[in-house]
Each structure stands twice: as C-alpha cells, then as structure tokens.
Amino acid sequence: MAPETAYDVVTKYHRAWTSGDIDGAMNCVADDISCRAPGGDLDGKDAYRSFIGGFAPMLTGIGDIAEFADGNRVALFYYPQTAATSTAPAAEFFTVTDGKISESVLIFDRLAYGPPGQD
C-alpha cells in the first residue's frame, strides 16, 4: 500500500470537517499546526479544533470549486454553505509535513458568514 500523499491527507481532513467529523479531521492535523485566518492566527491543535469545531455545525452544504496539489502543498477552493450564504468562496492553502497538516492559510470573507439579514 502506497503512503498517503499530501493531497490524500488534505482531502481526508476536508471531507471529515465538512461532514461534522471534527475528531476525524483532527487526526489529520499536527499538534503544532499554525493557521493564518481572518481575525487572527491560530497556534496549536486545540485552538485549531475550537475554530473548526465552532464553524462546522453551521454548514448546510459544501460546493467544491477546485483543488491543486504540488508536492507537500495543497490548495482548496470551495463554497462553505450556511444559512447566511451559499455564494461566498473560501480558499485554504495547506502544508503537509510527516503525514499531518502542519500549516494552513485560510481566506474567506468573515462578514458573509454573519447572521442572515432581516427583510
């Protein structure tokens, strides 16, 4: 059996967290992960778990746009669908080290994921 590629690790992580399996997602993440995200940087698995675990329950669906892999680096572009929006794109750029996600750069419009507007 061939070892998992960086793309395999990221795909497993993404499928897990977007389906609400936070434990499964965290199995793909290094203990010392660093994440640059709108609103602040996250350092360590506990901070990352809290961040992802806080957002995942809001998902109503996921719309994939594109994926790119280059060695140990993987980029995903997708639409995280929530009650507030289904058209605001997100992008993540991952670095995988020793079979775990060690770095993430997450880009999205924070305001788009606020509470739905009142009519």
Side-chain angles (χ1 to χ4, degrees), residues 17-18 55-56 58-64 78-83 85-86:
W17 88 260
T18 59
F55 184 72
M58 292 189 287
L59 284 179
T60 59
I62 196 84
D64 294 328
Y78 56 95
Y79 294 108
Q81 300 162 354
T82 68
T85 184
S86 63

Side-chain angles (χ1 to χ4, degrees), residues 24-79:
M26 291 304 109
N27 287 336
C28 302
V29 172
D31 290 340
D32 61 348
I33 187 171
S34 64
C35 175
R36 300 200 72 147
D41 294 346
L42 305 165
D43 292 308
K45 197 175 206 174
D46 290 339
Y48 195 70
R49 173 190 288 275
S50 179
F51 181 75
I52 294 299
F55 184 72
M58 292 189 287
L59 284 179
T60 59
I62 196 84
D64 294 328
I65 303 172
E67 323 172 311
F68 302 95
D70 180 19
N72 71 329
R73 301 177 305 166
V74 178
L76 301 179
F77 300 87
Y78 56 95
Y79 294 108

